[in-house]
Amino acid sequence: MRSSSVIALALSLTLPGCGFAWRALKRNLDAPAERSVAHKIVEPRRPEARLAALWVGHATVLLQLDDRFVLTDPLFAHTLAQASPRLVEPGFDPEHLPPLAAVVVSHMHFDHLSFGSLDAIEQLTPIVLVPPGVRANMPRYDFEIRELETWTSYEHEGLRVTAVPVQHVGGRYGLDAAFETRAFTGYVFEYHGLSVYFGGDTAYVPSAFQATRARFPDLSLALLPICPDTPRDFMQYTHVSPRQALDAFSLLGAKQMLPIHFDTYINSDDALGACPKELRTRMQARGLTEEQVPILTIGEQRVLIAR
Amino acid sequence: MSVRKLGIIATLLARSAFGAPSASAEAVSLTPAPKPRLMSAAAAVGVWSAAQLIPSPLLVTGKEHVGGGLRWQLTPLLYSFGIAERPLRSFLISPIARHSGSIELHVSPEWACCAPSKQSSWLVRAGLRLYLPLLEHGEKLSWSLGSSYYRAVGGGGMAADLGIFTFNGVLGLNVTVSPWLTRREVVTTFMIRLF
């Protein structure tokens, strides 16, 4: 594994702006063994919940909206691109997944689009929604792969999923980002009066959050990334900081925010725990409570709106 | 109006418009992140094309000789039966299109030592190669089987090859057997393939 990490990450240095990649390489080589999750949930259906979220890790969240389940950016892999080891095992095993109404993929970076993980859920979902340009970079599966342009929706049996604007970079292999200039998105799920925003990966773009709020003025929940934060001069183009995530939460006008995309892999200069720590500091400064912004541990499920 | 004044006005507007928490000590910023600096599509094509000029090192083995060499590969046409969309690709081929299951027409200039004469150190192979996925649709592991025709100064002939690939197909090992190619009967290539 270690020699393979060296090769893969050394190859990644051909990509632009990867000065910090050497540091990430060293940190990945020194990464501790994957930590296990105690008392994993095996029955995710919560009869008492209208809205519940189970954080599997990174950007993978199993959402229960009344009687429907949706899954975001499914990632159950133990290494990313055969290079970066997972720090904490997936907080939920895919064999315990209920039937899914839909799965969304925000973009095709290795930490958001995992072909092996899609294999694991292939028979559980009728459809996987992706941004434009991604389908031509995915293998065939039994489920439908449908590309959603910004502000267009998929609707089925009362569930509506709408692609909403974010700022990130497309592509999967580095150089193809130059071609895949639209291959990233966020989503809003709507069902039975509930609405949930999923930011995938995004930089801080107030106009995008404001436009989303204008169309979805009553968001119940916002799933927002809070990491990677540093090196900021590199990350600012594509990732919100913890402070900016709270700003985005405010601009979106959601009632609750669930922070995601932290402490699962090493892909930045951030120390383990630094992003949630910074988030807590900023929450305190703004008078936000853990009721409004619950910070889950990997594998934890929270009922956000009870019946 | 100064930047500072604009900032204060923007902050006040943001607070009133977006309902920042009353106990807020921090204002909501309305300054957007800069746009990512991406290489232009033309430049990316140039880099990808140039990457195909990176040769793969090879090892020539025979009864009485061992030597080295280099091999390049161009892929004028590939049909992917493993990809969800756009099965026909040419020259710039994303790894998943190739390694999820495909058949390609390839052209491979090759230089190797140990040939009977200096002129015949160079040859060109052209052939068909089938790729089949083994793990994670070929991203983790795939294998290939191919046949080709080679043309050198001294003449031409047929060859067969077998390969195995990993790391999204960037790295692989390919063994080419050309029974009638004197002093170059078996060529093992450490494949480096960037699209």
Side-chain angles (χ1 to χ4, degrees):
Chain A
M1 170 56 218
R2 302 229 153 167
S3 59
S4 62
S5 296
V6 173
I7 294 166
L9 284 171
L11 284 168
S12 77
L13 294 177
T14 57
L15 307 181
C18 287
F20 76 94
W22 285 112
R23 297 192 294 275
L25 163 65
K26 187 172 184 313
R27 291 184 64 210
N28 271 287
L29 292 174
D30 295 337
E34 184 181 276
R35 188 160 54 79
S36 60
V37 173
H39 314 299
K40 278 191 190 180
I41 290 168
V42 294
E43 174 45 79
R45 190 179 300 276
R46 300 290 292 265
E48 76 276 26
R50 287 208 66 213
L51 177 63
L54 194 166
W55 187 36
V56 181
H58 210 54
T60 311
V61 178
L62 177 65
L63 283 171
Q64 177 186 340
L65 297 97
D66 273 343
D67 57 338
R68 295 296 162 94
F69 287 88
V70 294
L71 187 66
T72 63
D73 286 355
L75 181 64
F76 298 98
H78 292 275
T79 59
L80 282 185
Q82 295 167 268
S84 181
R86 198 169 184 127
L87 300 174
V88 184
E89 72 168 324
F92 184 75
D93 294 325
E95 58 263 35
H96 299 306
L97 279 169
L100 302 165
V103 172
V104 297
V105 171
S106 62
H107 60 294
M108 55 180 160
H109 288 164
F110 285 96
D111 58 333
H112 292 259
L113 174 57
S114 162
F115 298 144
S117 301
L118 290 178
D119 282 337
I121 62 168
E122 188 167 15
Q123 304 306 323
L124 293 173
T125 183
I127 192 162
V128 171
L129 302 168
V130 300
V134 173
R135 197 165 181 269
N137 288 283
M138 285 180 70
R140 290 170 184 271
Y141 289 97
D142 288 346
F143 48 70
E144 180 190 354
I145 302 168
R146 188 181 299 182
E147 293 184 348
L148 280 189
E149 298 276 354
T150 303
W151 302 128
T152 62
S153 304
Y154 160 77
E155 284 189 72
H156 185 67
E157 294 181 347
L159 173 74
R160 183 162 62 187
V161 186
T162 304
V164 297
V166 297
Q167 178 176 304
H168 200 57
V169 289
R172 185 168 178 84
Y173 308 103
L175 282 172
D176 54 347
F179 309 121
E180 306 295 356
T181 54
R182 297 186 305 140
F184 46 86
T185 189
Y187 296 95
V188 170
F189 306 100
E190 294 172 282
Y191 185 66
H192 283 189
L194 299 164
S195 55
V196 178
Y197 173 89
F198 170 57
D201 256 353
T202 184
Y204 186 65
V205 190
S207 59
F209 305 130
Q210 290 165 337
T212 300
R213 183 181 188 173
R215 291 183 187 234
F216 303 97
D218 194 27
L219 288 170
S220 318
L221 172 69
L223 307 177
L224 281 163
I226 61 167
C227 231
D229 186 14
T230 59
R232 197 68 215 143
D233 57 347
F234 180 73
M235 297 299 178
Q236 63 174 332
Y237 302 99
T238 48
H239 295 94
V240 290
S241 66
R243 176 182 180 155
Q244 290 174 328
L246 291 178
D247 285 356
F249 170 46
S250 184
L251 293 178
L252 285 164
K255 293 181 179 64
Q256 288 177 294
M257 164 184 159
L258 196 70
I260 57 170
H261 207 274
F262 63 95
D263 291 353
T264 313
Y265 296 94
I266 296 169
N267 57 1
S268 65
D269 285 345
D270 302 313
L272 200 61
C275 289
K277 185 180 174 190
E278 171 68 7
L279 185 74
R280 283 195 175 91
T281 303
R282 298 295 182 179
M283 283 167 57
Q284 203 168 23
R286 295 170 188 224
L288 290 167
T289 66
E290 291 249 359
E291 285 288 307
Q292 292 163 291
V293 187
I295 303 175
L296 304 188
T297 56
I298 289 175
E300 187 179 349
Q301 187 181 37
R302 183 74 58 94
V303 173
L304 299 161
I305 300 177
R307 282 189 190 279
Chain B
M1 190 179 288
S2 71
V3 173
R4 182 181 157 78
K5 283 181 180 171
L6 278 172
I8 292 168
I9 291 169
T11 299
L12 291 172
L13 283 172
R15 284 193 180 193
S16 59
F18 303 110
S22 57
S24 174
E26 284 186 339
V28 173
S29 168
L30 290 178
T31 307
K35 294 276 183 194
R37 289 172 296 188
L38 289 177
M39 192 180 285
S40 71
V45 167
V47 174
W48 274 15
S49 303
Q52 296 190 38
L53 301 177
I54 297 172
S56 300
L58 57 82
L59 181 72
V60 180
T61 49
K63 278 182 183 173
E64 297 172 355
H65 58 272
V66 175
L70 297 169
R71 181 187 286 176
W72 291 259
Q73 177 173 318
L74 296 173
T75 310
L77 194 62
L78 177 140
Y79 175 77
S80 175
F81 46 84
I83 201 79
E85 188 177 289
R86 208 157 52 80
L88 279 176
R89 312 281 173 112
S90 183
F91 290 107
L92 299 183
I93 293 152
S94 69
I96 190 64
R98 175 178 276 123
H99 294 280
S100 62
S102 66
I103 187 157
E104 71 176 10
L105 172 66
H106 68 91
V107 178
S108 293
E110 180 180 306
W111 174 88
C113 73
C114 311
S117 68
K118 194 175 180 181
Q119 289 77 10
S120 58
S121 290
W122 282 96
L123 62 74
V124 176
R125 300 176 191 270
L128 292 172
R129 187 175 291 132
L130 173 74
Y131 292 86
L132 292 170
L134 289 173
L135 288 175
E136 295 198 4
H137 300 270
E139 275 205 336
K140 268 192 174 173
L141 198 65
S142 67
W143 69 285
S144 71
L145 184 66
S147 67
S148 58
Y149 175 79
Y150 64 84
R151 187 75 195 173
V153 170
M158 295 302 293
D161 65 74
L162 188 65
I164 191 150
F165 299 85
T166 188
F167 285 112
N168 306 305
V170 171
L171 304 177
L173 203 66
N174 176 285
V175 178
T176 307
V177 179
S178 318
W180 302 283
L181 185 57
T182 308
R183 295 180 66 81
R184 214 148 139 183
E185 295 88 347
V186 179
V187 173
T188 305
T189 311
F190 176 64
M191 306 283 282
I192 303 168
R193 178 85 58 75
L194 298 171
F195 301 93

